[in-house]
């Protein structure tokens, strides 16, 4: 048999006397050099795949994840990382930004910085890095959703708001204050940004031990949230958030009911009715703006992972301290291929 790239065979895998049942497979030879690269296409099903992998492993084939394979075989490490991130994107908007990076938006931006540093133009390099830094917070959320905690006193309509934003009855709603005890999370998309919405127990003093546990969980959720919505009840006394609560935006709920206070006092807040849906679309627009105040234009370079963001931040600090060589080293490191599957090893 001539083993040549671009050829394929249909055959049976594992067919030997007394062996296990064979599977009909297609074998393709993708390349001979620098490493032999074949593809084996089998029938689907967890067990068939497991059996084929075990059989290959028993014959000293190194089994790896597809991400490891991408990193180890791609000539362009940043493109491989973008492909891996792209597979984790959960909305069209984040996928489209990652696709731009896959097509080289971020690598081109890094190449420009490297070119500036090579010419000794450290200030220009810092300016270019500043442009990239703008999108560091966004880049951190392309594969991890933003966390938005819905907070407030009992009975203001937190769970009702979560349900209105989610589009179904995710949380239990009752007229009894103290209904929600645990932290209830839901993944949704707001303006095509991925958001984990966190419903929490109402905060109040003098709660019993059980309710207090829910309150402690609510406070812990607020600390790790990217943003907290604090609900005020239009039909009851307005209870302000504690100053200790981080990144808070106010939302006045129950605007379908007669107001019990002057709602102009909360002119900056979003005004909604979780019951009728009034103001919910506007709240989504505001949320989108609070999460991503300055969305990138199509094709813009975005540091699309925590690791890349950290490198850009470090390189920027080096430029600010006039340490061009150190900045260059960091930026070159971003593009260097990791020797996960070095030439000579057979994946
Ligand atoms: N009229 C009106 N009633 C609402 C609105 N939102 C919630 N409610 C009612 O207010 C009551 C409390 O709603 P929930 O959503 O359970 O309030 P919560 O803040 O989650 O309450 P806890 O979980 O107990 O902290 C229920 O009877 C809801 O039907 C609204 O926009 N308008
Ligand atoms: Mg609730």
């Amino acid at each position: 048999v001539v083993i040549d790239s671009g050829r394929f065979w249909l055959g049976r895998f594992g067919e030997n006397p007394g062996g296990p049942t064979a599977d009909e497979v297609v074998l393709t030879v993708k390349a001979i050099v620098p490493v032999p690269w074949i593809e084996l296409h089998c029938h689907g099903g967890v067990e068939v795949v497991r059996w084929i992998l075990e059989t290959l492993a028993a014959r000293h084939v190194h089994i790896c994840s597809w991400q490891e394979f991408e990193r180890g075989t791609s000539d362009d490490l940043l493109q491989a990382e973008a492909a891996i991130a792209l597979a984790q994107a959960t909305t069209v908007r984040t996928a489209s930004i990652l696709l731009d990076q896959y097509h080289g938006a971020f690598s081109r931006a890094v190449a420009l910085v490297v070119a500036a540093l090579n010419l000794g133009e450290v200030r220009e390099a810092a300016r270019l890095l500043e442009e990239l830094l703008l999108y560091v917070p966004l880049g951190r959320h392309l594969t991890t959703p933003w966390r938005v905690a819905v907070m407030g006193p009992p009975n203001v309509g937190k769970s009702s708001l979560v349900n209105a934003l989610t589009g179904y009855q995710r949380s239990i709603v009752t007229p009894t204050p103290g209904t929600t005890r645990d932290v209830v999370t839901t993944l949704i998309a707001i303006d095509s940004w991925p958001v984990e919405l966190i419903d929490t127990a109402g905060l109040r003093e003098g709660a019993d031990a059980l309710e207090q546990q829910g309150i402690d969980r609510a406070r812990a959720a607020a600390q790790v949230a990217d943003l907290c919505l604090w609900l005020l009840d239009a039909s009851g006394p307005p209870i302000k958030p504690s100053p200790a609560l981080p990144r808070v935006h106010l939302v006045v709920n129950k605007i379908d009911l007669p107001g019990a206070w002057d709602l102009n006092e909360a002119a900056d807040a979003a005004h909604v009715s979780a019951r009728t849906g009034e103001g919910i679309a506007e709240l989504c627009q505001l949320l989108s703006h609070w999460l991503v105040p300055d969305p990138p234009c199509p094709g813009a370079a975005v540091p699309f992972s925590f690791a890349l963001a950290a490198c850009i931040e470090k390189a920027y600090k080096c430029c600010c301290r006039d340490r061009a060589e150190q900045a260059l080293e960091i930026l070159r490191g971003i593009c260097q291929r990791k020797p996960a599957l070095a030439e000579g090893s057979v994946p």
Side-chain angles (χ1 to χ4, degrees):
V1 178
V2 180
I3 306 287
D4 219 352
S5 65
R7 301 191 62 171
F8 59 91
W9 291 267
L10 173 68
R12 289 173 76 76
F13 183 92
E15 193 160 61
N16 53 38
T21 320
D23 185 36
E24 201 163 59
V25 295
V26 174
L27 183 94
T28 63
V29 178
K30 305 283 284 216
I32 304 292
V33 286
V35 283
W37 178 357
I38 63 156
E39 275 184 10
L40 189 70
H41 295 256
C42 63
H43 285 105
V46 178
E47 281 306 303
V48 174
V49 174
R50 188 188 55 77
W51 168 64
I52 289 180
L53 288 178
E54 271 178 11
T55 309
L56 291 172
R59 292 177 188 199
H60 312 293
V61 171
H62 169 64
I63 308 293
C64 66
S65 66
W66 72 267
Q67 291 91 337
E68 219 184 311
F69 185 78
E70 279 286 329
R71 288 190 183 109
T73 57
S74 171
D75 290 335
D76 183 339
L77 184 65
L78 283 172
Q79 192 176 48
E81 291 298 342
I84 292 165
L86 191 51
Q88 297 167 59
T90 52
T91 70
V92 173
R93 203 162 182 186
T94 50
S96 138
I97 293 170
L98 285 166
L99 201 56
D100 285 339
Q101 313 317 308
Y102 177 83
H103 289 303
F106 180 72
S107 348
R108 282 190 294 274
V110 171
L112 281 180
V113 181
V114 169
L117 286 170
N118 280 331
L119 290 171
E121 294 170 2
V122 186
R123 276 197 178 179
E124 173 62 2
R127 190 192 64 75
L128 292 167
L129 285 167
E130 249 166 38
E131 280 178 15
L132 282 174
L133 283 174
L134 274 183
Y135 297 124
V136 160
L138 169 66
R140 289 189 168 131
H141 287 289
L142 293 174
T143 54
T144 316
W146 281 267
R147 283 185 283 201
V148 174
V150 183
M151 314 278 301
N155 227 35
V156 288
K158 300 178 296 300
S159 301
S160 303
L161 180 65
V162 163
N163 291 346
L165 290 167
T166 309
Y168 68 99
Q169 299 302 303
R170 175 69 179 94
S171 285
I172 298 170
V173 168
T174 74
T176 313
T179 298
T180 306
R181 295 292 169 97
D182 222 330
V183 161
V184 180
T185 60
T186 324
L187 269 180
I188 60 167
I190 287 185
D191 205 14
S192 206
W193 298 125
V195 169
E196 185 182 63
L197 209 53
I198 308 167
D199 188 14
T200 63
L203 306 188
R204 65 172 159 189
E205 299 299 323
D208 62 24
L210 176 62
E211 198 179 344
Q212 189 56 47
Q213 281 202 33
I215 292 174
D216 293 344
R217 285 180 184 208
R219 291 216 167 95
Q223 291 308 317
V224 294
D226 298 288
L227 190 150
C228 294
L229 295 179
W230 180 268
L231 264 65
L232 302 165
D233 186 341
S235 67
I239 298 168
K240 298 270 164 58
S242 126
L245 216 55
R247 303 168 288 277
V248 181
H249 290 272
L250 298 181
V251 177
V252 180
N253 187 35
K254 306 195 189 182
I255 57 166
D256 56 297
L257 296 177
W261 47 285
D262 181 7
L263 300 190
N264 290 323
E265 282 174 30
D268 291 343
H271 291 223
V272 302
S273 165
R275 178 165 289 176
T276 66
E278 190 182 347
I280 296 293
E282 291 79 0
L283 173 61
C284 288
Q285 283 309 310
L286 278 172
L287 263 171
S288 171
H289 175 71
W290 292 331
L291 296 173
V292 190
D294 190 11
C297 299
V302 176
F304 55 93
S305 72
F306 280 67
L308 294 178
C311 287
I312 295 300
E313 277 165 354
K314 265 197 231 160
Y316 177 68
K317 279 185 193 150
C318 290
C319 287
C320 293
R321 292 182 196 135
D322 214 15
R323 293 185 185 155
E325 269 311 313
Q326 238 173 311
L328 263 175
E329 203 177 309
I330 292 165
L331 295 174
R332 287 198 192 113
I334 289 181
C335 313
Q336 255 161 30
R337 182 172 153 184
K338 307 268 184 303
L341 295 173
E343 264 102 64
S345 76
V346 181

